[in-house]
Amino acid sequence: MNRTVSKTTAEQPLDRAIAILTALTEAARPLSVTDLAALCDLPVTTVHRMTAQLEKRNLVKRAIGSKKLIVGAGLVRLGVAATEAAMRTDRPHQILVALANEIGESCQIGVRSDDNVVYIDTARTTPSPGLHFEQGRRSPIHCTSIGKLYLAELTPSAFDAWLADANFTQLAPSTILSKEKFKAAIEEVRAQGWAANNEEFLPGLVGCAVPIRLSSGKLMAGLGLYVPTARMPFERIKDFLPALRTAAEKIATASEEAQAGD
C-alpha cells in the first residue's frame, strides 16, 4: 500500500490534518482510522484525535451505518471554492472568454457538488444568443452534460450504487427517466470521452461538455455550452468539440501554472 506522507513531513498538526484529508480524498472510499494511520504513516491515536477534530468542523463524516470516514460537506464546499478560485484567475477566464467569442456561444465551467452541477465561471457573447448560466447557479447532475462527465468518472460499481438511489426529476420532455437508458448514456460518455445533452434540461436547447483534466489525469471541472436547436441541431453539436477540447487543455494548464506560481 502506498503511503501518502511520511512522519518526517507530518511533524506539525496542520501537516497531519492535510495528510489525512489528502488520503481520504484520494482513496475516494470510506476509510477506517487504522486505514488512514497506515496511509499517512501516523500513530492510530494521532489519527483518531485528528479525525475527531476534523469531524467537528464538518470536513469529514462517518459513512452511514459504519465507523469509517468519508469526505464531509465542509470539505466538498471548500473544494468547489478552491476550484472556482483557480478558474477565476485572469488567464483561465480569458481563455473561456476567447472560446465564447470564437464559437459565438456562451460557455460554462462547472463542478459537481453532491447531485448538482455548480457553474463556477461563465463567459457570454455580446449579445448573448443562447442560454447563459450565471456564476454560482446550480443544475441537477442527471440532465446536464457536465453532470454526465462526473458520473462517467465514477467506477462502474460506484455509479451503480449512485444510480440505485437516484431520483430523476423531469425538467423537460426529453429528460432521461429510465435508469437503464441513463446507464447506457453514461457508458457512451465513458467510451467517447465527452457528454451531450439533447433537450434534457430545457426544451429547445442542446449542449455538450468536455472534461478539464489536470496533468495527473484527474477531472478538475467540465467545460460546456448550450445552443438553441433553432440554430444548431443536436446532430451537429459535436462540431464544437475541437474548440472545447483545445480550450479545456489551455484552462487546465493555466490553472496549474497559477497554483504553482502561488
Side-chain angles (χ1 to χ4, degrees):
M1 180 181 293
N2 293 329
R3 293 189 172 182
T4 301
V5 64
S6 66
K7 289 181 180 179
T8 57
T9 60
E11 295 178 352
Q12 300 299 320
L14 181 59
D15 295 324
R16 297 168 188 167
I18 292 173
I20 290 168
L21 293 174
T22 300
L24 198 60
T25 54
E26 288 183 349
R29 60 183 175 84
L31 296 176
S32 67
V33 169
T34 303
D35 294 333
L36 287 167
L39 285 169
C40 300
D41 198 6
L42 291 169
V44 171
T45 53
T46 298
V47 175
H48 188 276
R49 182 177 67 254
M50 296 298 298
T51 54
Q53 295 174 6
L54 294 170
E55 189 173 4
K56 287 182 180 179
R57 290 160 177 80
N58 207 23
L59 296 174
V60 304
K61 65 180 181 180
R62 303 286 173 174
I64 296 176
S66 170
K67 292 184 178 181
K68 291 187 176 183
L69 296 158
I70 58 176
V71 170
L75 187 57
V76 172
R77 289 193 295 269
L78 183 61
V80 171
T83 303
E84 178 179 354
M87 293 298 182
R88 292 294 293 180
T89 58
D90 286 345
R91 183 61 183 147
H93 183 68
Q94 289 170 2
I95 296 168
L96 187 64
V97 171
L99 171 65
N101 290 332
E102 175 189 351
I103 64 178
E105 303 293 344
S106 297
C107 303
Q108 308 88 30
I109 295 175
V111 298
R112 179 182 180 181
S113 178
D114 295 326
D115 280 345
N116 293 286
V117 170
V118 179
Y119 298 97
I120 61 173
D121 199 2
T122 63
R124 63 190 305 172
T125 56
T126 305
S128 179
L131 179 66
H132 177 68
F133 290 98
E134 297 295 338
Q135 183 185 355
R137 177 171 174 172
R138 292 171 176 259
S139 299
I141 195 172
H142 71 281
C143 57
T144 58
S145 49
I146 291 177
K148 291 178 183 177
L149 290 177
Y150 274 91
L151 293 174
E153 201 75 1
L154 298 175
T155 63
S157 60
F159 173 74
D160 287 343
W162 177 88
L163 187 63
D165 295 328
N167 183 17
F168 294 158
T169 300
Q170 185 167 11
L171 298 180
S174 297
T175 302
I176 301 175
L177 299 178
S178 164
K179 292 190 176 183
E180 289 185 3
K181 290 182 178 179
F182 192 78
K183 183 174 182 178
I186 296 302
E187 289 174 349
E188 184 177 11
V189 174
R190 289 196 186 104
Q192 65 189 14
W194 62 281
N197 187 302
N198 189 8
E199 300 187 68
E200 298 161 43
F201 181 57
L202 286 172
L205 286 173
V206 294
C208 62
V210 300
I212 300 175
R213 295 191 183 278
L214 300 174
S215 55
S216 63
K218 186 175 182 179
L219 180 63
M220 182 181 188
L223 171 62
L225 55 81
Y226 278 98
V227 187
T229 53
R231 193 167 63 252
M232 174 69 72
F234 177 72
E235 291 73 22
R236 289 187 53 203
I237 198 70
K238 61 184 179 182
D239 292 351
F240 290 113
L241 290 177
L244 285 171
R245 284 170 170 156
T246 298
E249 292 177 2
K250 291 180 179 179
I251 290 170
T253 299
S255 297
E256 289 190 304
E257 288 176 350
Q259 293 179 18
D262 293 339

